[in-house]
Amino acid sequence: MALEEYRPGTAFTGVIGRTVEESAPAWPAPLRARPGAPNVLFVVLDDTGFAQLGCYGSPIATPNIDRLAAGGLAYTNFHTTALCSPTRSCLLTGRNHHSNAMACITEGSTGYPGSNGNIPHENGFLSEILLGQGYNTYAIGKWHLTPADQISAAGPFDRWPLGRGFEHFYGFLGGETHQYYPELVQDNQQIEPPRTPEEGYHLTEDLVDRAISYIASAKQVAPNKPFFMYFCPGAMHAPHHVARAWSDRYAGAFDDGWEAYRQRALARQIELGIVPTGTTLSRNDPDVPEWGSLAGEQRRLFARMMEVYAGFLTHTDHHIGRLLDFLAAFGELDNTLVMLLSDNGASAEGGPMGSVNENLFFNNVPEPLERNLELIDELGGPTTFNHYPWGWTAAGNTPFRRWKRETYRGGISDALVVHWPAGIAAGGEVRTQYNHAIDLVPTVLESLSVDPPAHIRGVAQSPIEGVSFAHTFGSASAPSKRVTQYFEMLGHRSLYHDGWRAVCPWPGPSFAEAGMPFGQPISKDRLTELDHSGWELYHVEEDVAENHDVADQHRDRLIAMIATWYVEAGKYNVLPIDGRGTIRFLEERPQISPGRSRYTYYPRTEKVPTNAAVSVLNRPHSITADVEVPPGGADGILVAHGGIDAGYALFVRDRRLCWVHNYVALEYPSVIATTEVPEGRHRLRFEFEVTGAPDIPRGRGAPGRGLLYIDEELVGAADVPVTTPLALGLTSGLAVGSAPGAPVCPHYEPPFEFGGTIHSVDIDVSGELIEDDEATLRRVMARQ
């Protein structure tokens, strides 16, 4: 006899008598997806340009992504927001990034409704919707959607993946991570990677292993239960980390430079139908030097940086192929709606010279060519945090102009591959309809025959702002439903309307033409000037690469489009317009715990993320460790904050107290005690006295004097000529008692666990210092 079931929340449909014999049972019906419902797989690449996938004209091998395009659809008019977190918020909610309070990355949030970094719960995630439709839901890899001050062990956790409808999360919460030493989180708990780099560990492989495990574990129990997986490897964001064997596949492939890459890519794009016949390249960017003008050593270094990037992408494609092969072997691939895309255009954060340590960019520190050349053979390995120069960025966005962070097409036009054999009859076709990241959610819902819910967990839902493009699955000639779309990123603005684009670049069409670098504030008067004479107009339906500014010929149209931009800005919480870049990181933000001048940390606890940890930069401070040293002594980390890209560490080595500051991997000023740490219980202390002002625009933090004490007795002192001005390690937090992950300095091997007992570590930023007359006299004399 079939079980009697009734919908939970409705009346019991069985019979209740005096006894079981007189009664008939009925059960609340389990939540089940509709029969045959497809799986949904989002694959979100990072910082991948329009011309960096093989199926979009790239010379880089991406055979597994290419086979998705060959069996599905390649969209050529897909757009993002020009930055990662804002785009990702669109992908998961179907609302614009300012509607999601995500005008910038969470670390760059400001105190305005469109920019505070707290995605409203009334903007429900696709994961929350599909969880309510009987789906398993998994988030794998990069998240970067939780306010930066809320990713510590103190929570709150309602904006972590498990708080937004995902049943499992395995990945990292920030914007990027070391691929060999990632800051891993499983569900709501920090964990260490299962292997070391020496044992062959790489994050992308680990993420695919976990993705396969989650799906297989559920399918073996409930084979008919569909899943939604949000799969986001750290690739292709810096650091470009991959084993040398992958990079060496491209030895010599880019020796002819970025202009040659652009020419080859455009020819291939025209051949594939990715851009129309007759498309011409956007101009050679004034910020990008001609390849032939570079010195031989520069070309050698820059070509190798691109070889590493290419190897990283092919490596990533290989592991995406493992996931696809698993789904095929499981019989699930044909009925999986796969949407593979990039979150923005290729990244220029490597600067004009490329980088062996991307954190130099975030600290305004120029790249020293000689130093980078010394590390050329280490590129892609665990000792670097590398990124290529922006000549390759421009090439990767062929045929468009500019790049990530800017709203020319190079920053916002991205690859989108859709593959679903069970639901899309066409294969290997190109689609040219205009669409945007906010359109994915309604497209998925229409494909699944699911209506957007009015409420999620009791919260009334806002209208979805995207429109479905599912009607294009079966028709290359179907009209675009999206007619208008605004763009704004870091003060750079544009508007698409019915085949035309108006663009107001900030600080200008290029840094060279603007006469100022990225990230400058926009004053009220300057904004007025920009709205009067700073807008450009392109008929992109005919001029896809934005080569011909026709603002003078179509002044009335341009004025109307500027007005429309402001209408959209008012509708979606875009204002105020904020052109600031890295300086946003200094904005004061609410914290879970009220601001204080003394912080206490303990061993055997989770790392404290940088945004939740004490900031010691550019201020006097002290670090005091209350320890017990066993007979025979003990070495190891007392406290470490940061990673190979920047940070500091206080530790005992060879029984001597040591402090080392990692100034963005360029210098390692240190203080080493002149005497050994004795056995027993002691207070080991470091003090930093600021002796000068920081020069933040030039990438130099406050200089000072470092002093070491054992039980208030001075045991070491040294001048510290420079410190990191803005950002410590991009991927590592503060740890006590051991330092797993990429080491702050070459003076220890991780995790370098302390061999004694640490009761606590106090960090004081009140400015109170132990005064030592003799040390004061030495400091005064040293400054004469």
Side-chain angles (χ1 to χ4, degrees), residues 39 67 136 138 209 211-227 229 321-336:
N39 308 305
R67 68 173 159 126
N136 284 129
Y138 313 114
D209 288 346
I212 291 172
S213 174
Y214 282 148
I215 296 169
S217 295
K219 288 288 187 181
Q220 68 185 358
V221 176
N224 296 323
K225 187 173 185 179
F227 66 82
M229 177 168 284
R322 289 178 51 227
L323 178 57
L324 299 177
D325 289 344
F326 161 77
L327 291 175
F330 234 68
E332 295 287 344
L333 183 58
D334 281 358
N335 198 30
T336 297

Side-chain angles (χ1 to χ4, degrees), residues 4-29:
E4 174 75 16
E5 295 181 348
Y6 60 95
R7 185 163 57 86
T10 63
F12 176 72
T13 58
V15 176
I16 300 177
R18 293 178 304 155
T19 66
V20 170
E21 182 181 11
E22 301 170 276
S23 304
W27 297 85

Side-chain angles (χ1 to χ4, degrees), residues 111-134:
Y112 300 98
S115 187
N116 63 40
N118 290 269
I119 301 176
H121 287 286
E122 56 264 31
N123 294 1
F125 279 32
L126 182 60
S127 46
E128 295 172 305
I129 297 172
L130 296 187
L131 186 66
Q133 294 291 319

Side-chain angles (χ1 to χ4, degrees), residues 1 65 231 238 370 422 600:
M1 179 184 296
I65 296 173
F231 181 81
E370 296 77 11
T600 300

Side-chain angles (χ1 to χ4, degrees), residues 254-301:
F254 307 107
D255 287 355
D256 53 358
W258 32 69
E259 295 99 345
Y261 183 110
R262 296 183 81 211
Q263 293 287 348
R264 290 197 303 271
L266 176 61
R268 181 63 176 151
Q269 288 174 333
I270 292 173
E271 179 185 344
L272 292 170
I274 296 299
V275 298
T277 300
T279 298
T280 57
L281 288 173
S282 59
R283 64 177 185 161
N284 290 326
D285 196 289
D287 289 330
V288 176
E290 293 183 4
W291 186 257
S293 72
L294 301 172
E297 287 295 272
Q298 287 179 310
R299 292 198 298 268
R300 182 169 70 93
L301 174 65

